[in-house]
Amino acid sequence: MTLEAPGWALELLRAARVGRLATTGEDGQPHLVPVCFVFDGDALYTPIDGKPKTTRRLKRVRNLETNPRAALLVDHYEEDWRRLRYVLVEGEGSLVAGAEVARVLASLREKYPQYAEVEVGPEVIRIAPLRIAAWTA
């Protein structure tokens, strides 16, 4: 799928250190969490990693299993409001495994050196973009 977005927006998706992932569960309640992620030009990936959690069956994973619609927001803030900007990616979320995880893990480790020591997988969340909205001041 060819993504329609300005070059600065695609670069912000590649460079941003954190995004906010929104999912919605069966009950219709929104769930929003900060996530590390990588963007390969076609899809966004966020790991299910081994940092301390009560379970690997995270609410975002359970939500995607019942409602695959998801959104990821990346923003840039500065006190000079003329430099504000954000990118909102709306898409379909799913869990992927196997060779795709190995490729994503290599990208995660390149972007976040901490992943050299943090367990990831065996699945990662993939967001296939359906729409990208970008705004800048």
Side-chain angles (χ1 to χ4, degrees):
M1 164 185 234
T2 302
L3 300 173
E4 296 294 325
W8 69 262
L10 297 176
E11 182 52 37
L12 183 58
L13 286 175
R14 286 184 187 88
R17 306 297 293 165
V18 66
R20 281 80 180 163
L21 177 64
T23 59
T24 305
E26 224 171 34
D27 59 2
Q29 288 296 111
H31 179 68
L32 184 67
V33 291
V35 296
C36 293
F37 70 96
V38 291
F39 174 59
D40 69 2
D42 292 316
L44 297 151
Y45 297 88
T46 183
I48 302 165
D49 60 40
K51 292 191 300 288
K53 298 171 178 66
T54 56
T55 179
R56 295 292 285 252
R57 291 236 345 111
L58 303 172
K59 184 168 180 72
R60 65 195 92 152
V61 171
R62 296 189 312 270
N63 285 352
L64 290 172
E65 290 172 346
T66 60
N67 178 1
R69 298 290 299 191
L72 185 107
L73 176 70
V74 174
D75 65 299
H76 175 81
Y77 180 85
E78 290 189 29
E79 294 301 326
D80 178 353
W81 284 6
R82 295 171 295 181
R83 300 181 60 129
L84 300 178
R85 57 191 169 181
Y86 75 81
V87 181
L88 173 64
V89 178
E90 298 172 333
E92 298 285 326
S94 61
L95 293 176
V96 295
E100 196 165 4
V101 172
R103 181 179 61 78
V104 170
L105 183 54
S107 295
L108 283 165
R109 286 180 175 152
E110 185 176 319
K111 185 174 180 181
Y112 306 95
Q114 300 89 329
Y115 279 113
E117 299 176 15
V118 175
E119 178 188 351
V120 174
E123 299 172 310
V124 297
I125 295 171
R126 179 181 193 270
I127 307 295
L130 298 174
R131 182 175 95 84
I132 295 180
W135 175 87
T136 187

